[in-house]
Amino acid sequence: MSQQPITQGSKVKLHFTLKLETGEVVDTTSKGSPALLSIGDGNFPAGFESILIGLSAGDEKKAVITPENAFGMPNPTNIQTMPRSAFQMDVDLVEGLVVSFSDASNTELPGIIRAINDRTVEVDFNHPLAGKRLEFSVQILDVA
């Protein structure tokens, strides 16, 4: 096990738990395989990575991350009203349902249905954790 500190470009094996302010667990690796990440590759929000910088294998840390440093604030332009006809009629649309769309470059875009009526469906394309303060707990297993 390496004792080198985490820096930009480090490959890190860790266990983490992400909670809402209510204590509800949003994501965790504590009961499964550890997460593997490369610091600075863009797959982890910068606010989470900044907490890891300087830690070494065996270290544990908890921190509260503001929305601006996590998944950002909700953007009203990411809420779209779409015609009901844009959805397959055999799909049972309910508020809270996550639906997947593809953009022009064929990138998958998940959206959450917020409202439905006979003619339109309101879909929120903001990240589900946008606007949320999060508690991030981490245990560093290895650093390379």
Side-chain angles (χ1 to χ4, degrees):
M1 184 168 19
S2 168
Q3 287 304 310
Q4 68 186 33
I6 297 171
T7 61
Q8 285 294 320
S10 292
K11 307 275 190 258
V12 183
K13 184 191 299 188
L14 56 84
H15 276 299
F16 73 90
T17 299
L18 190 61
K19 296 180 183 178
L20 298 176
E21 284 184 299
T22 62
E24 177 186 346
V25 175
V26 175
D27 197 6
T28 186
T29 62
S30 66
K31 302 238 188 303
S33 298
L36 303 171
L37 67 109
S38 295
I39 302 296
D41 69 0
N43 287 322
F44 223 52
F48 293 91
E49 286 188 352
S50 66
I51 291 164
L52 303 177
I53 299 295
L55 299 179
S56 300
D59 288 346
E60 295 185 27
K61 188 168 185 176
K62 282 186 182 182
V64 173
I65 302 175
T66 63
E68 297 80 8
N69 292 316
F71 297 97
M73 296 301 291
N75 182 341
T77 62
N78 289 343
I79 299 173
Q80 303 291 316
T81 299
M82 307 171 79
R84 175 65 178 89
S85 61
F87 298 84
Q88 295 177 346
M89 294 310 286
D90 63 342
V91 174
D92 187 21
L93 297 178
V94 294
E95 289 183 19
L97 178 70
V98 177
V99 290
S100 186
F101 297 87
S102 294
D103 66 10
S105 64
N106 217 21
T107 301
E108 185 178 336
L109 295 172
I112 300 171
I113 295 178
R114 295 288 180 215
I116 308 160
N117 65 38
D118 291 340
R119 294 189 326 250
T120 62
V121 178
E122 184 178 275
V123 182
D124 185 349
F125 289 99
N126 285 294
H127 190 285
L129 296 176
K132 309 275 190 212
R133 287 175 53 93
L134 302 168
E135 181 183 293
F136 180 57
S137 302
V138 65
Q139 175 190 20
I140 307 301
L141 301 175
D142 197 17
V143 179

